Amino acid sequence: MTDAETTSRTGKRVLLAKPRGYCAGVDRAVQTVEEALRLYGAPIYVRKQIVHNKHVVQTLEAKGAIFVEENEEVPEGATVIFSAHGVAPEVYEQARTRSLKAIDATCPLVTKVHQEARRFAAEDYDILLIGHEGHEEVVGTAGEAPAHIQLVDGPDGVDKVTVRDPNKVVWLSQTTLSVDETLETVARLKQRLPLLQSPPSDDICYATSNRQHVVKEIAPDCDVVIVVGSRNSSNSVRLVEVALDAGARAGHLVDFAHEIDDAWLEDARTVGVTSGASVPDELVQQVLAHLAERGFADVEEITTANERLTFSLPQELKRDLKAAAARG
């Protein structure tokens, strides 16, 4: 029986979002750990989760990566990789004092926000950083200019903002936020601070925007949207919120296919599937297989953008790989 015949018989289908899954920054970060393990041998220490995905972390642990919370847990002189979310300058200093070989896997799009923070702080601006309190990326960016940066955690945080000079204020943002919520936050800030400046280019990363855009496209047609991603992944959590805001009747976040509750699929005819920017596609394929076993065999991929961006490996690692290749 063909997929079309199956659909006409069961009335069940899957709308598969594209783009989904790995972005260029995540791909680079995971590759950095894998190449470091091959080049230097295990163990390789990684400060914080390299990316916010349970499966990725478990896979790298099995290969010899050791994830730690702080540099103090890394033996003196060992190799440590900083995660894709970025770190504050003091973390580099701590690594130097412990003679650690530090490899920086910070996403270049996060590094861009750090550079903006340093530049505006040097020009004595008040910087309003839109983001989620406690998120590693926010901690790292705020650490670039703590005396100049104050956090605005969504539209409800706007009323707490105080600035020295309303003529010298700029907003920056965490790269993995909801596009719509960030625009709402900025609009409310501008009501209070009409001369508020914007960053030179959008801080929310292309991958976050693209994944939210395609979910908005499919959500109105979906009885339920399943987002593959971990609960500590900001961009994955946002995808569930975006799906619900855009008209999906229900939305759920799962790390693995076995977490899907059959009750979610009762009376459902159309299921949307996507994944956060730190999710390998094998996990999505397992979800599709799980759904097919329950009658959702017809899969239509909905594409709203084609992503071709790639980032090269960190300079420190590239230099050592080149030296190793020269030695043969």
Side-chain angles (χ1 to χ4, degrees):
M1 185 178 285
T2 66
D3 284 350
E5 288 169 332
T6 303
T7 304
S8 63
R9 185 171 60 81
T10 65
K12 295 179 176 180
R13 63 174 181 158
V14 174
L15 297 181
L16 178 61
K18 182 182 178 182
R20 62 181 180 276
Y22 269 17
C23 63
V26 164
D27 195 33
R28 172 184 187 262
V30 174
Q31 209 182 332
T32 296
V33 180
E34 291 173 340
E35 290 290 347
L37 283 164
R38 275 194 285 271
L39 183 61
Y40 309 122
I44 293 291
Y45 293 85
V46 184
R47 184 184 179 277
K48 309 287 187 185
Q49 290 189 357
I50 187 69
V51 296
H52 286 157
N53 183 264
K54 195 183 288 187
H55 172 77
V56 170
V57 168
Q58 290 170 349
T59 302
L60 292 173
E61 280 177 334
K63 293 179 179 179
I66 297 174
F67 292 87
V68 298
E69 284 300 304
E70 298 298 344
N71 287 337
E72 287 72 28
E73 300 168 61
V74 182
E76 288 208 16
T79 297
V80 63
I81 296 175
F82 297 146
S83 81
H85 308 103
V87 296
E90 65 191 47
V91 176
Y92 294 99
E93 191 52 48
Q94 291 162 0
R96 275 193 290 273
T97 59
R98 294 182 59 77
S99 303
L100 302 181
K101 179 182 178 64
I103 297 173
D104 185 4
T106 301
C107 173
L109 298 177
V110 175
T111 300
K112 176 184 82 77
V113 182
H114 284 213
Q115 291 166 345
E116 290 169 353
R118 289 196 298 271
R119 179 164 73 82
F120 283 112
E123 294 171 10
D124 202 30
Y125 275 76
D126 279 343
I127 301 166
L128 307 180
L129 177 60
I130 302 171
H132 297 301
E133 188 165 6
H135 189 280
E136 285 157 43
E137 187 187 323
V138 164
V139 172
T141 302
E144 292 287 353
H148 288 263
I149 291 177
Q150 57 186 299
L151 182 66
V152 183
D153 197 340
D156 293 340
V158 170
D159 292 340
K160 302 177 194 138
V161 168
T162 57
V163 298
R164 294 168 300 157
D165 180 355
N167 298 306
K168 288 197 79 171
V169 191
V170 65
W171 69 270
L172 303 177
S173 84
Q174 184 181 329
T175 62
T176 54
L177 298 179
S178 157
V179 175
D180 291 341
E181 186 177 294
T182 302
L183 291 174
E184 184 189 341
T185 305
V186 171
R188 286 175 68 165
L189 283 169
K190 284 187 172 174
Q191 286 174 355
R192 290 195 59 201
L193 301 161
L195 297 177
L196 176 70
Q197 293 189 36
S198 300
S201 60
D202 198 349
D203 283 346
I204 295 180
C205 91
Y206 75 97
T208 297
S209 300
N210 287 348
R211 279 148 193 71
Q212 290 176 19
H213 179 66
V214 67
V215 164
K216 284 183 190 176
E217 287 285 314
I218 66 172
D221 296 322
C222 294
D223 298 301
V224 57
V225 171
I226 293 171
V227 177
V228 186
S230 294
R231 299 198 175 280
N232 63 337
S233 164
S234 174
N235 78 87
S236 299
V237 172
R238 298 292 84 71
L239 285 173
V240 177
E241 296 171 357
V242 168
L244 293 170
D245 287 344
R249 263 65 82 199
H252 301 281
L253 184 67
V254 299
D255 265 298
F256 304 104
H258 66 77
E259 295 173 6
I260 296 172
D261 188 335
D262 282 346
W264 301 345
L265 306 176
E266 283 177 15
D267 303 323
R269 285 290 170 264
T270 301
V271 176
V273 174
T274 189
S275 57
S278 48
V279 178
D281 208 51
E282 66 190 274
L283 299 184
V284 175
Q285 297 308 316
Q286 289 166 13
V287 165
L288 294 177
H290 182 95
L291 291 171
E293 288 168 5
R294 285 149 182 81
F296 294 88
D298 178 47
V299 179
E300 181 185 354
E301 191 167 58
I302 307 296
T303 304
T304 56
N306 288 302
E307 297 177 349
R308 296 186 178 87
L309 185 66
T310 58
F311 294 131
S312 62
L313 292 170
Q315 289 297 330
E316 313 93 324
L317 183 57
K318 280 205 304 191
R319 194 168 49 241
D320 288 356
L321 285 167
K322 194 173 177 183
R327 291 194 299 269

